[in-house]
Amino acid sequence: MWAELLPVGRSAASGGYRRFAWTTADAECRAWFREQAERRGLAYEVDRNGNQWAWLGDPQAGDAVVTGSHLDSVPDGGAFDGPLGVVSAFAALDELRSRGVEFTRPLAIVNFGDEEGARFGVACVGSRLAAGVLTRDQAYALRDADGARLPDAMERAGHDPAAIGTDHERLGRIGAFVELHVEQGRFLTERQPVGVASAIWPHGRWRFDFHGEANHAGTTRVEDRRDPMLTYATTVLAARKKARLAGALATFGKVAVEPNGTNAIASLVRGWLDSRAADEATLERVVEEIRQAAADRGGRDGVRVELTRESYTPVVDFDGPLRDRLARTLGGVPVLPTGAGHDAGILASAVPTAMLFVRNPTGISHSPAEHAEAADCLAGVTALADVLEDLACQG
Ligand code: HGY
Ligand code: MN
Ligand code: MN
């Protein structure tokens, strides 16, 4: 499976992946998923929100056990974030078939669309739409950096966007969702190859628009300038400081400048803040402090600061009984929280949900250097098969 998937959407220059929602690379990933489903004789379908499903057993029967993840990536992402969960799902099914178990509940493998939100700015679009935490109107208003609307991009990729929106009927047929994912930190590094998730930190994305005045870099007196770059730079430093003091995280990883000329003072700097904390009150306080620092500095620079929250995910505490059942099945594995968002975090509001993490020796993720050892990936497949066997089979 990896041999077919690894070349898709890989940048020769960086070695990282550029698999953005509803692009050609995404279509190739989706074709790969369909082929894996059909090769195994699973019933393949695409839901109204563009998520792909592969079913063993009757999809309508209810109380299904579902596993899977996503195949899209961040800009220059690693090979494992997302695909490991999908590849492991198919491999775990193969393992269960070779064990000769009898399935007592329907089983499905899912590929959620647009998990990273790299193109349209909002993460987990496929699962958010299904769960009703992103409305159809909000999704219709999303645009990529070139101005293309999400529904148009979907349509061009062959998915009819007319029916996107809440899909409670489908989620109501799921009895348990288990997402396997590469760990994106180093908690498991000195411990074991596989762990179980306890919680996801609350997190969100905020867009800061710093409005200044374009002018000549060589002739505009310092006292006449309204330079938004200064306000932006100060805000980046403030974000690091406020987050550090609160034990939180705040990152500006994306910036857009207009007109983006070397010899012109910028008219507009747009910076996207990603912030996360262990609890929602801390996260709110940190973002408010960063906003205040930006506004104070903007006042001195003659720069107007506008803040827009583009997405938000509240704290997720995974289903206690399901988490304990997984930990029991796997025999005393580490239980860990994560600062990374996942479709599992979105589904957790509607369905008993759990996650398995596979060890990442460096902790690096959202980078071409992301890695997991083959032996650990195989341990992940065995763990997922054990969990699915416990949930969906009798011996
Ligand atoms: O950004 C995140 O936390 C995730 O990897 N989508
Ligand atoms: Mn990711
Ligand atoms: Mn992921």
Side-chain angles (χ1 to χ4, degrees):
M1 285 187 273
W2 282 118
E4 290 168 25
L5 198 52
L6 283 174
V8 179
R10 188 165 185 268
S11 151
S14 70
Y17 289 90
R18 300 184 150 254
R19 295 167 173 163
F20 307 143
W22 309 111
T23 59
T24 311
D26 189 42
E28 280 181 55
C29 289
R30 294 168 67 84
W32 172 90
F33 181 95
R34 180 178 190 154
E35 204 189 308
Q36 295 303 321
E38 288 172 351
R39 249 185 230 176
R40 291 170 175 79
L42 305 173
Y44 170 79
E45 59 173 348
V46 180
D47 71 19
R48 56 203 290 178
N49 296 308
N51 306 308
Q52 296 179 294
W53 301 78
W55 285 92
L56 179 71
D58 179 4
Q60 298 302 326
D63 202 29
V65 175
V66 179
T67 185
S69 190
H70 63 96
L71 295 174
D72 68 315
S73 80
V74 296
D76 288 330
F80 298 90
D81 176 358
L84 182 63
V86 181
V87 168
S88 299
F90 284 114
L93 173 62
D94 296 344
E95 162 73 14
L96 289 176
R97 281 176 160 169
S98 75
R99 287 182 192 175
V101 297
E102 188 187 321
F103 290 87
T104 53
R105 294 165 77 176
L107 181 81
I109 297 173
V110 62
N111 167 32
F112 282 111
D114 199 359
E115 194 275 345
E116 297 287 6
R119 182 170 175 196
F120 295 100
V122 175
C124 301
V125 168
S127 57
R128 270 183 213 275
L129 278 168
V133 294
L134 179 72
T135 66
R136 181 195 150 77
D137 288 353
Q138 287 169 331
Y140 261 73
L142 295 176
R143 287 174 186 273
D144 71 8
D146 299 323
R149 296 161 67 237
L150 171 65
D152 297 337
M154 273 184 169
E155 192 151 29
R156 275 197 293 274
H159 181 74
D160 179 3
I164 64 170
T166 311
D167 203 352
H168 287 314
E169 188 275 327
R170 174 175 290 275
L171 297 187
R173 288 189 267 118
I174 302 175
F177 175 58
V178 181
E179 178 171 359
L180 177 147
H181 205 278
V182 66
E183 198 202 344
Q184 297 170 292
R186 291 162 44 87
F187 188 90
L188 296 172
T189 304
E190 301 298 328
R191 294 181 171 90
Q192 296 181 25
V194 179
V196 175
S198 58
I200 297 181
W201 279 21
H203 56 281
R205 300 179 182 186
W206 290 261
R207 192 184 79 230
F208 282 77
D209 292 338
F210 302 93
H211 298 273
E213 185 178 60
N215 214 330
H216 196 292
T219 59
T220 315
R221 296 185 315 168
V222 163
E223 53 272 37
D224 292 339
R225 294 180 180 218
R226 292 172 48 212
D227 185 349
M229 195 63 83
L230 298 177
T231 323
Y232 168 68
T234 306
T235 305
V236 174
L237 298 176
R240 161 59 78 92
K241 184 169 174 185
K242 304 292 183 195
R244 181 170 50 77
L245 292 174
L249 297 166
T251 308
F252 280 93
K254 175 174 163 179
V255 62
V257 181
E258 289 177 20
N260 212 19
T262 308
N263 55 354
I265 296 161
S267 58
L268 172 72
V269 176
R270 233 177 215 150
W272 281 263
L273 169 72
D274 175 309
S275 190
R276 313 182 188 217
D279 64 86
E280 292 174 34
T282 304
L283 178 57
E284 240 170 74
R285 181 163 52 81
V286 166
V287 174
E288 171 52 25
E289 286 175 3
I290 298 169
R291 187 201 65 75
Q292 192 60 55
D296 290 351
R297 176 70 202 214
R300 294 202 292 283
D301 293 334
V303 167
R304 183 166 60 83
V305 182
E306 232 183 317
L307 180 58
T308 309
R309 191 176 86 174
E310 293 196 334
S311 74
Y312 185 77
T313 307
V315 68
V316 176
D317 281 310
F318 286 112
D319 186 81
L322 185 59
R323 182 194 63 214
D324 294 347
R325 185 165 171 177
L326 262 61
R328 244 191 342 268
T329 301
L330 301 178
V333 293
V335 178
L336 59 147
T338 178
H342 301 284
D343 294 304
I346 306 300
L347 254 65
S349 63
V351 173
T353 296
M355 289 192 77
L356 294 176
F357 291 125
V358 170
R359 176 159 59 191
N360 177 332
T362 59
I364 291 176
S365 188
H366 285 185
S367 153
E370 179 185 73
H371 183 67
E373 295 293 340
D376 290 352
C377 295
L378 289 171
V381 171
T382 304
L384 182 60
D386 291 347
V387 162
L388 297 176
E389 180 172 354
D390 173 53
L391 292 171
C393 309
Q394 61 194 25

